[in-house]
């Protein structure tokens, strides 16, 4: 019998070349329960990752980049899960986000883009991370981490930031009080603290540059969104 994955000759239940099983079990309730437990379990799962990133973000992200990549949830998956959680909570409590738009573009075009962003926060946050990463590398050129490692770090940081937004969204939904400003301040402070530990060497200057790079990155992202809306308007004229 040949392995369906690598086509190697197999005489056992598992391929000795790639390790895949010869016959996959059918997807049933036990499979679904196992997969959910695998994602949510406390050791090396989403809950463990959240706890470690809230308590020791610098230590854990640095260890993920340089030593052990099995202890935390994969960064992109973590960011998407956290972004999805925030989206579900805001939709459940009917929390609307307001965005500034310049008078040089049609509101409808910008609104369409922001609607897509708010419906796909996971992908949008990855794109935003590209902008933030550029500014952080510009301000911290002496850092030992390359641009791609900075992006991995940002997946964890932005993901945790989305959880902070989600927490305050729940408070807002229950209490009826607008928590937008508070959630933004807390998320920014967390981002400054986490990034400063990794790229800034825990120095005051490093924390300040981390915050500045993060803010400029987010601002650049939204400027790019407005620019895209303006370009679309010009083509539609």
């Amino acid at each position: 019998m040949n392995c369906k994955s690598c086509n190697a000759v197999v005489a056992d239940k598992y391929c000795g070349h790639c390790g895949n099983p010869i016959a996959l079990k059918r997807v049933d309730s036990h499979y679904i329960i196992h997969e959910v437990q695998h994602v949510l379990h406390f050791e090396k799962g989403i809950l463990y990752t959240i706890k470690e990133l809230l308590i020791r973000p610098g230590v854990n992200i640095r260890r993920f980049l340089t030593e052990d990549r099995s202890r935390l949830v994969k960064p992109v998956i973590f960011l998407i899960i956290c972004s999805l959680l925030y989206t579900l909570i805001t939709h459940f409590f009917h929390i609307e986000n307001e965005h500034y738009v310049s008078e040089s573009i049609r509101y409808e075009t910008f609104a369409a883009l922001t609607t897509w962003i708010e419906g796909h926060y996971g992908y949008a946050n990855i794109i935003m991370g590209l902008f933030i990463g550029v500014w952080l590398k510009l301000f911290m050129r002496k850092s030992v981490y390359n641009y791609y490692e900075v992006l991995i770090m940002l997946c964890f940081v932005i993901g945790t930031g989305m959880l902070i937004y989600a927490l305050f969204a729940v408070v807002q939904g229950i209490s009826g009080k607008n928590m937008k400003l508070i959630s933004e301040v807390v998320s920014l402070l967390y981002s400054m603290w986490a990034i400063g530990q990794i790229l800034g060497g825990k120095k005051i200057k490093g924390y300040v540059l981390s915050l500045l790079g993060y803010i400029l990155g987010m601002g650049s992202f939204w400027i790019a969104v407005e620019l895209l809306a303006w370009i679309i308007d010009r083509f539609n004229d």
Side-chain angles (χ1 to χ4, degrees), residues 122-138:
Y123 300 118
N125 281 326
I126 292 174
I127 298 173
M128 185 185 293
L130 299 176
F131 288 85
I132 298 174
V134 170
W135 284 103
L136 290 177
K137 283 300 296 179
L138 180 64

Side-chain angles (χ1 to χ4, degrees), residues 3-16:
C3 176
K4 296 179 181 179
S5 298
C6 65
N7 205 37
V9 177
V10 181
D12 205 345
K13 293 182 179 180
Y14 295 90
C15 176

Side-chain angles (χ1 to χ4, degrees), residues 173-191:
I174 295 175
S175 66
K177 297 181 179 179
N178 193 325
M179 306 297 292
K180 179 177 175 56
L181 179 59
I182 298 177
S183 64
E184 289 179 347
V185 171
V186 174
S187 179
L188 281 176
L189 290 177
Y190 170 81
S191 301

Side-chain angles (χ1 to χ4, degrees), residues 10-172:
V10 181
D12 205 345
K13 293 182 179 180
Y14 295 90
C15 176
H17 185 261
C18 67
N20 285 330
I22 298 304
L24 290 177
K25 294 182 179 179
R26 294 192 63 179
V27 175
D28 55 16
S29 60
H30 297 289
Y31 173 84
I32 298 298
I33 293 173
H34 173 77
E35 289 300 308
V36 171
Q37 289 176 341
H38 179 71
V39 173
L40 297 180
H41 68 82
F42 198 73
E43 286 298 324
K44 301 181 181 179
I46 187 71
L47 296 179
Y48 175 82
T49 299
I50 292 172
K51 178 181 75 74
E52 292 299 306
L53 290 178
L54 287 174
I55 298 175
R56 296 180 293 271
V59 172
N60 284 281
I61 296 175
R62 191 180 300 110
R63 184 179 298 171
F64 180 89
L65 292 173
T66 60
E67 298 176 12
D68 184 1
R69 294 176 185 168
S70 64
R71 297 177 66 252
L72 303 180
V73 172
K74 299 302 180 183
V76 175
I77 294 177
F78 177 76
L79 175 56
I80 291 176
I81 291 176
C82 295
S83 300
L84 177 61
L85 178 62
Y86 172 73
T87 300
L88 293 174
I89 290 175
T90 54
H91 284 181
F92 179 79
F93 288 109
H94 305 287
I95 297 175
E96 300 292 337
N97 293 314
E98 297 181 358
H99 301 285
Y100 165 79
V101 56
S102 66
E103 297 180 357
S104 62
I105 62 176
R106 298 192 185 107
Y107 177 75
E108 292 79 7
T109 306
F110 183 81
L113 292 177
T114 54
T115 298
W116 182 90
I117 290 172
E118 290 169 2
H120 304 81
Y121 269 121
Y123 300 118
N125 281 326
I126 292 174
I127 298 173
M128 185 185 293
L130 299 176
F131 288 85
I132 298 174
V134 170
W135 284 103
L136 290 177
K137 283 300 296 179
L138 180 64
F139 288 153
M140 302 179 180
R141 292 185 292 272
K142 295 182 180 180
S143 171
V144 298
Y145 300 105
N146 61 40
Y147 178 71
Y148 302 101
E149 291 170 327
V150 171
L151 293 181
I152 293 300
M153 173 200 70
L154 287 172
C155 285
F156 286 122
V157 174
I158 296 175
T160 307
M162 294 304 293
L163 290 178
I164 293 173
Y165 280 121
L167 175 62
F168 281 100
V170 171
V171 175
Q172 179 173 331

